[in-house]
Amino acid sequence: MASSINKPSAEDQKVAGKSVAALRRISGRTKNQHLMVFQVEGTVISVPRKAVMLLEKVLDEMADGKSVEIISSSSEMSTQEAADFLKVSRPHLVKLLETGKIPYKKVGSHRRILPEDIQKYDSVLREKRRKALDLLAQEAQEMGLGY
């Protein structure tokens, strides 16, 4: 199951920036690797350190004005969830699945995809794009096109 935070407002960005700075100060002082304790509106909350690190990352991305999506790695995604993650149409994702570019399994008539397989495909695709752009920039420089 995926949880999303769409592009944060300017106010959310400001609050996220202050919050991540405070969390980093707190987490930098403690040596405890297992949990951190916060007091929120009079209630004490114990949070595992790894969850605090994830929260720091979410707040950092929000402070930069970016959307954030968290996907549980133990769950399987539907084709629509996977398409939403990759920001492609569901029919395009189905073509990627059927051509073997992304592994999947069928549960009845439904296709299910592991989040790590979607993330791996996304990482490989991003790397290919980066290399292609680097090559184009290099060629433009060699041709003296002012890039």
Side-chain angles (χ1 to χ4, degrees):
M1 177 82 47
S3 298
S4 299
I5 298 173
N6 292 329
K7 187 167 174 52
S9 67
E11 180 64 25
D12 287 343
Q13 286 178 256
K14 189 186 308 181
V15 171
K18 290 178 183 176
S19 298
V20 75
L23 274 177
R24 285 184 177 142
R25 280 194 306 275
I26 293 167
S27 64
R29 288 189 301 220
T30 183
K31 301 293 183 210
N32 188 345
Q33 295 297 315
H34 299 292
L35 60 95
M36 298 183 69
V37 179
F38 298 95
Q39 186 164 351
V40 179
E41 296 181 359
T43 303
V44 175
I45 302 170
S46 298
V47 181
R49 186 172 182 83
K50 289 182 179 180
V52 172
M53 292 168 59
L54 181 60
L55 180 58
E56 284 180 21
K57 181 68 176 161
V58 168
L59 290 169
D60 195 35
E61 295 296 319
M62 285 182 69
D64 287 343
K66 298 177 184 172
S67 298
V68 179
E69 186 165 17
I70 299 174
I71 301 173
S72 171
S73 63
S74 62
S75 65
E76 295 174 336
M77 301 171 78
S78 69
T79 53
Q80 187 62 59
E81 290 171 326
D84 291 345
F85 180 82
L86 293 174
K87 295 177 179 47
V88 299
S89 69
R90 196 186 72 73
H92 178 69
L93 179 85
V94 170
K95 286 179 189 174
L96 294 172
L97 298 175
E98 297 296 330
T99 58
K101 293 183 178 173
I102 301 173
Y104 73 99
K105 70 177 184 178
K106 273 201 147 179
V107 178
S109 62
H110 301 281
R111 295 173 189 87
R112 295 290 179 240
I113 307 110
L114 293 174
E116 53 265 27
D117 290 334
I118 291 293
Q119 291 168 340
K120 181 179 176 183
Y121 174 81
D122 189 43
S123 295
V124 168
L125 188 60
R126 286 178 189 267
E127 182 63 21
K128 283 181 183 177
R129 288 176 180 162
R130 188 193 60 73
K131 286 180 180 179
L133 287 172
D134 287 347
L135 179 62
L136 285 172
Q138 180 182 353
E139 289 176 355
Q141 287 177 348
E142 289 170 0
M143 297 170 87
L145 297 176
Y147 292 104

